[in-house]
Amino acid sequence: QSALTQPRSVSGSPGQSVTISCTGTSSDVGGYNYVSWYQQHPGKAPKLMFSDVAKRPSGVPDRFSGSKSGNTASLTISGLQAEDEADYYCCSYAGSYTLVFGGGTKLTVL
Amino acid sequence: EVQLVESGGDLVQPGGSLTLSCAASGFTFSNYWMTWVRQAPGKGLEWVANIKQDGSEKYYVDSVKGRFTISRDNAKNSLFLQMSSLRAEDTAVYYCSRGVPTGVDYFDYWGQGALVTVSS
């Protein structure tokens, strides 16, 4: 049950694109297509951004996209906007009805 | 509208016990797996425990096994987390969240959180 690895911070200017990686193992990210992503603004509850690697819930802008290759999942945000500044967490199913989160990435919009 | 409202957060001494509750509304509670996720101050999210729709299956992160118990009352649309032998490292905001009918692949709704502080 080791945490997934995410960069501690990423940044970009408005209009640019950024990608946040989430690296696990064959026992979690690489073993299942059950990676989800959450956005958390300060003092707020997390918000689901993606389920099952790349399924975007209604209401999430299509500027956001999710993908996975091997043991690494990625969240890409294109056309950065000021309101995208937040913490982002990946989460993966890890077998036997357990889950593991990444350490979180702070996105700064310059 | 789906709503999850946690309660029961408090300051408790090391070694003490506390029970958190989560009141669910706006959906058929008995159709969904439910989960507790916690976040220590300034830290990331950590999955804590899951419970199946009928309460027959429960799963925990290693660090709370034997100390925490997740349960539910479908008649009252409520989820609970009984915590005992509390340690300083259990200090966190505890979120109640909804899984999916087929399992706990992801969490689509979250409560606002309940703060548990373990300190003497």
Side-chain angles (χ1 to χ4, degrees), chain B:
Chain B
E1 178 193 7
V2 172
Q3 284 198 316
L4 298 169
V5 180
E6 300 95 337
S7 60
D10 206 348
L11 169 64
V12 60
Q13 292 191 338
S17 299
L18 193 67
T19 297
L20 301 180
S21 301
C22 172
S25 61
F27 66 102
T28 304
F29 181 71
S30 58
N31 285 354
Y32 290 82
W33 282 75
M34 295 297 294
T35 295
W36 288 98
V37 174
R38 68 182 178 183
Q39 185 170 35
K43 302 296 185 182
L45 301 171
E46 180 183 37
W47 168 75
V48 174
N50 291 333
I51 186 168
K52 195 177 179 180
Q53 287 93 327
D54 61 0
S56 62
E57 296 181 34
K58 306 174 184 182
Y59 302 91
Y60 302 91
V61 67
D62 286 346
S63 59
V64 309
K65 283 180 182 176
R67 300 188 301 121
F68 289 14
T69 301
I70 188 172
S71 62
R72 63 193 296 162
D73 183 338
N74 287 341
K76 296 184 177 179
N77 293 334
S78 295
L79 177 71
F80 306 99
L81 186 67
Q82 295 175 269
M83 303 180 290
S84 63
S85 302
L86 282 161
R87 308 165 180 166
E89 54 264 36
D90 296 318
T91 294
V93 173
Y94 285 74
Y95 293 102
C96 162
S97 55
R98 190 179 82 166
V100 296
T102 51
V104 284
D105 327 352
Y106 60 90
F107 318 115
D108 57 356
Y109 288 94
W110 298 63
Q112 84 289 349
L115 177 61
V116 174
T117 304
V118 184
S119 175
S120 55

Side-chain angles (χ1 to χ4, degrees), chain A residues 28-79:
Chain A
D28 38 62
V29 175
Y32 309 92
N33 286 323
Y34 295 138
V35 176
S36 52
W37 288 91
Y38 302 87
Q39 177 192 65
Q40 187 180 37
H41 287 107
K44 300 294 187 181
K47 172 188 174 183
L48 176 67
M49 301 300 283
F50 283 95
S51 64
D52 302 339
V53 177
K55 292 183 180 178
R56 194 186 313 109
S58 61
V60 174
D62 60 8
R63 303 184 292 104
F64 291 81
S65 62
S67 63
K68 192 188 87 167
S69 177
N71 295 337
T72 298
S74 299
L75 172 69
T76 299
I77 310 170
S78 58

Side-chain angles (χ1 to χ4, degrees), chain A:
Chain A
Q1 294 175 331
S2 298
L4 307 176
T5 300
Q6 297 180 234
R8 295 199 66 159
S9 64
V10 297
S11 62
S13 299
Q16 289 187 331
S17 294
V18 296
T19 295
I20 299 171
S21 61
C22 169
T23 301
T25 70
S26 58
S27 295
D28 38 62
V29 175
Y32 309 92
N33 286 323
Y34 295 138
V35 176
S36 52
W37 288 91
Y38 302 87
Q39 177 192 65
Q40 187 180 37
H41 287 107
K44 300 294 187 181
K47 172 188 174 183
L48 176 67
M49 301 300 283
F50 283 95
S51 64
D52 302 339
V53 177
K55 292 183 180 178
R56 194 186 313 109
S58 61
V60 174
D62 60 8
R63 303 184 292 104
F64 291 81
S65 62
S67 63
K68 192 188 87 167
S69 177
N71 295 337
T72 298
S74 299
L75 172 69
T76 299
I77 310 170
S78 58
L80 267 179
Q81 298 183 5
E83 60 262 34
D84 299 335
E85 184 163 295
D87 293 326
Y88 291 84
Y89 294 91
C90 62
C91 179
S92 175
Y93 182 68
S96 301
Y97 293 94
T98 66
L99 295 104
V100 60
F101 280 92
T105 298
K106 180 177 179 59
L107 169 62
T108 300
V109 180
L110 302 171

